[in-house]
Amino acid sequence: MLWTDYAWPTIVIVLQIMAIIVPLLVAVAYLTYAERKVMGAMQMRQGPMTVGPFGLLQPLADGLKLLTKETIIPSGSSRLVFVLAPMMTFFLSLVAWAVIPFDDGMVLADINVGVLYLFAISSLGVYGIIMAGWASNSKYAFLGALRSAAQMVSYEVSIGLVMITVLLVVGSLNLTDVVTAERPLLIQILLLPMLVIFFVSTLAETNRHPFDLPEGESEITGGFMVEYSSMTYALFFLGEYANMILMSAMTTILFLGGWLPPFGLDIPPLNWIPGPIWFAAKIALCLFVFIWVRATLPRFRYDQLMRLGWKVFLPISLLWVVLISGLLVAFDWLPA
Amino acid sequence: MIVQALAFYLFAGIAIAASVMVIASRNPVHSVLFLIMAFFNSAALFVLLGAEFLAMVLIVVYVGAVAVLFLFVVMMLDVNFAKLREGFQNYLPIGGLIGLILLVELIFVVGAWIVVPEADLVARNPVPADPEITNTEALGRILYTDYVYLFQVSGLILLVAMIGAIVLTLRQRSGVRRQNVEHQLARRREDSVAIARVDTGKGV
């Protein structure tokens, strides 16, 4: 009774969690490699090439190097919060994967409020940064943390409104339903601008270029991470890249049709490929755009960043909520 | 069932301990962090009740937005908390009075459950009776039908508060050069660049 009711389900869940986290961490390691290779190609360089064949062992070498360094905790810092902050960033970037569906029914927790759960977890990401900035007791770290807090709160507004537009069409907060729901062609075309807004907002939400003002090497020397070394730094780094993958997965689920073949082409050569592979391929496409944007665009100025969030994205996404809901009512496309 | 009971006592215990730490800790930033912990555990209690929508909204609104701004303000403001504590004796009577009123109200609420058994039924039934309806839908059905006017009024109150905050903090400073994006975008090459042939050693 104790075995069948408690022990066995616990073991199964732990194994399922491992089956998600281990590939995710490998993906994070090779995302750093891919980023350096792709940026190298875009800037006509080689990228990493000496460790292993084609430099494929470079992420392992980097990880090992970070592990063997000394963890420095500044004397004026708030010790507990200082150590807690990177752990929290890393932890939050992993827990969100619990609700991501990799295929029809292939999901750890098929909860009814999956979209809200993802939104909640991604809105918590700011705490790791703001705690790090405050606990470091350093001017640059604090400035970075304040920038980050304002930035992430601003862009969450537009992310939330974009999600509302999609949810209006889908009529469910469950992520599996979001992927499988029917979307009329006109609505799909109208959702394209929302895809752009969502993607740009996720760039800001993950503090990636061109919105990486919290780090801002040129003016605040690395921002909130400036006092971190060794494993504590590595956790921030892993958290940031895991968040990039998570945001790409969200984009894929909300707009690119998750594990389904692209453009709704459910025809033989395409639907032989299993769902998780389509899902991974779509995530990889989004991640490529992340890296592409980083290699192409210069950093925004802070007031321009705020203007884009509040004066451009917010009104457009609000208008789109009204437009889409109006169309849904007018053509009687509302999901039952 | 025993796991649920254990989980309940765990979350409730942490929530109470964190709430005590909010008022007990000396550092205001730690207070806010403990407040966040209390929010989290209340959200976990909502999940145990089967009210997952409320749990998520609690985290999104309170932890994701309100507490961030709280933390922001507490970190930025240089408040001298030792000085604030000096007036503790003077504020004790009024603080005690408010505490007493809250306690009496709580007793009334619990008393009402005993006196009027129907109230108990309403208060303890957060899960919709029909398992087909998700609790997001159940909330929507009540909120947008029976209570739609009250819902609109609460929205209006928030709007007024928002406009008020903007009006109070908005100030027009003179002599500030602002970026005019439309103006920048409307610029053309012909307006701003001219190619001049300059003879060597003469200048323009």
Side-chain angles (χ1 to χ4, degrees):
Chain A
M1 151 85 186
L2 192 71
W3 171 255
T4 51
D5 279 5
Y6 297 113
W8 181 243
T10 313
I11 293 170
V12 170
I13 288 176
V14 168
L15 285 178
Q16 283 175 331
I17 292 172
M18 295 309 285
I20 293 176
I21 285 182
V22 172
L24 176 65
L25 290 182
V26 173
V28 166
Y30 279 91
L31 176 58
T32 64
Y33 172 79
E35 174 164 41
R36 293 165 72 180
K37 272 291 189 194
V38 170
M39 281 188 49
M42 285 177 183
Q43 295 161 354
M44 301 183 81
R45 298 182 282 113
Q46 288 274 3
M49 56 180 283
T50 44
V51 190
F54 309 107
L56 272 170
L57 297 178
Q58 185 70 43
L60 296 180
D62 288 343
L64 211 62
K65 182 198 151 199
L66 278 171
L67 267 175
T68 51
K69 295 282 173 184
E70 182 191 355
T71 306
I72 299 167
I73 299 178
S75 54
S77 68
S78 172
R79 294 180 76 91
L80 183 68
V81 182
F82 185 83
V83 179
L84 216 60
M87 288 187 197
M88 196 158 152
T89 306
F90 184 60
F91 168 75
L92 285 172
S93 67
L94 295 184
V95 288
W97 285 88
V99 296
I100 302 281
F102 298 93
D103 197 352
D104 203 359
M106 209 172 137
V107 51
L108 182 64
D110 193 17
I111 59 174
N112 279 330
V113 287
V115 177
L116 273 179
Y117 175 84
L118 276 183
F119 188 59
I121 297 294
S122 73
S123 70
L124 294 181
V126 66
Y127 280 108
I129 293 172
I130 203 170
M131 278 159 72
W134 178 77
S136 302
N137 200 9
S138 147
K139 289 188 193 80
Y140 294 127
F142 190 57
L143 284 173
L146 289 182
R147 283 182 174 193
S148 161
Q151 173 178 337
M152 290 175 96
V153 170
S154 311
Y155 277 84
E156 251 151 49
V157 181
S158 59
I159 286 191
L161 283 169
V162 171
M163 279 181 172
I164 289 175
T165 10
V166 176
L167 294 178
L168 277 172
V169 179
V170 172
S172 168
L173 289 168
N174 185 308
L175 286 166
T176 309
D177 294 348
V178 170
V179 174
T180 51
E182 292 276 327
R183 302 180 188 190
L185 186 66
L186 176 64
I187 297 288
Q188 282 186 15
I189 293 167
L190 281 174
L191 280 178
L192 278 179
M194 290 287 98
L195 168 63
V196 175
I197 289 184
F198 188 80
F199 189 77
V200 176
S201 302
T202 57
L203 287 177
E205 189 78 1
T206 48
N207 296 323
R208 288 286 300 180
H209 298 251
F211 306 114
D212 64 334
L213 290 128
E215 288 173 43
E217 300 92 350
S218 54
E219 66 262 36
I220 51 172
T221 67
F224 62 94
M225 293 195 217
V226 75
E227 303 290 341
Y228 283 86
S229 61
S230 168
M231 220 38 220
T232 50
Y233 170 76
L235 284 179
F236 271 125
F237 202 73
L238 289 174
E240 185 184 323
Y241 280 78
N243 263 332
M244 275 166 67
I245 303 181
L246 176 72
M247 287 296 178
S248 305
M250 265 166 89
T251 314
T252 306
I253 289 170
L254 289 176
F255 294 102
L256 306 182
W259 61 83
L260 301 171
F263 306 113
L265 292 172
D266 202 8
I267 46 172
L270 289 177
N271 60 17
W272 289 342
I273 300 168
I277 292 182
W278 275 125
F279 191 62
K282 287 173 180 177
I283 290 180
L285 178 74
C286 294
L287 288 172
F288 178 77
V289 182
F290 262 86
I291 298 166
W292 184 11
V293 166
R294 176 177 176 188
T296 311
L297 295 175
R299 187 176 290 144
F300 265 57
R301 212 172 58 203
Y302 200 72
D303 62 318
Q304 291 171 333
L305 170 91
M306 284 297 165
R307 177 180 172 275
L308 185 69
W310 289 106
K311 290 189 177 174
V312 180
F313 283 177
L314 180 63
I316 293 180
S317 45
L318 254 178
L319 173 74
W320 237 254
V321 170
V322 176
L323 179 72
I324 297 265
S325 44
L327 280 176
L328 288 174
V329 172
F331 290 100
D332 202 19
W333 283 335
L334 274 176
Chain B
M1 279 325 268
I2 184 125
V3 176
Q4 262 123 317
L6 281 177
F8 171 78
Y9 285 116
L10 180 73
F11 293 136
I14 295 176
I16 292 170
S19 319
V20 171
M21 286 307 291
V22 172
I23 47 175
S25 64
R26 292 191 165 270
N27 191 328
V29 173
H30 291 174
S31 284
V32 180
L33 292 176
F34 276 115
L35 185 67
I36 292 162
M37 199 165 169
F39 283 145
F40 251 105
N41 285 283
S42 338
L45 290 177
F46 272 129
V47 172
L48 282 183
L49 278 171
E52 68 261 14
F53 180 78
L54 282 182
M56 292 306 150
V57 168
L58 182 74
I59 290 182
V60 170
V61 175
Y62 282 91
V63 184
V66 175
V68 171
L69 297 179
F70 243 63
L71 208 56
F72 206 95
V73 172
V74 168
M75 282 177 179
M76 293 271 279
L77 291 181
D78 190 21
V79 184
N80 189 346
F81 281 86
K83 204 170 180 184
L84 273 182
R85 287 225 171 74
E86 275 175 8
F88 186 70
Q89 295 282 329
N90 303 343
Y91 293 118
L92 195 60
I94 194 157
L97 186 69
I98 292 172
L100 194 71
I101 292 172
L102 283 176
L103 183 69
V104 169
E105 281 177 348
L106 271 179
I107 290 171
F108 277 155
V109 170
V110 178
W113 286 353
I114 296 160
V115 178
V116 192
E118 295 90 69
D120 191 35
L121 279 177
V122 178
R124 276 209 217 149
N125 203 6
V127 189
D130 186 355
E132 284 293 298
I133 302 171
T134 63
N135 66 46
T136 315
E137 202 179 337
L139 271 176
R141 282 189 184 179
I142 296 175
L143 208 56
Y144 298 116
T145 52
D146 300 351
Y147 298 102
V148 64
Y149 295 116
L150 293 175
F151 182 76
Q152 297 283 350
V153 167
S154 59
L156 274 179
I157 292 172
L158 286 176
L159 182 68
V160 169
M162 197 166 81
I163 294 172
I166 293 170
V167 169
L168 285 176
T169 51
L170 189 71
R171 51 179 183 150
Q172 290 288 354
R173 278 187 297 180
S174 57
V176 181
R177 287 163 64 89
R178 290 184 190 283
Q179 182 180 17
N180 187 343
V181 179
E182 290 77 20
H183 186 69
Q184 288 178 334
L185 291 177
R187 252 161 81 103
R188 306 198 143 273
R189 190 169 185 277
E190 300 86 66
D191 305 335
S192 38
V193 182
I195 297 174
R197 267 198 176 280
V198 183
D199 293 335
T200 316
K202 284 189 177 171
V204 181

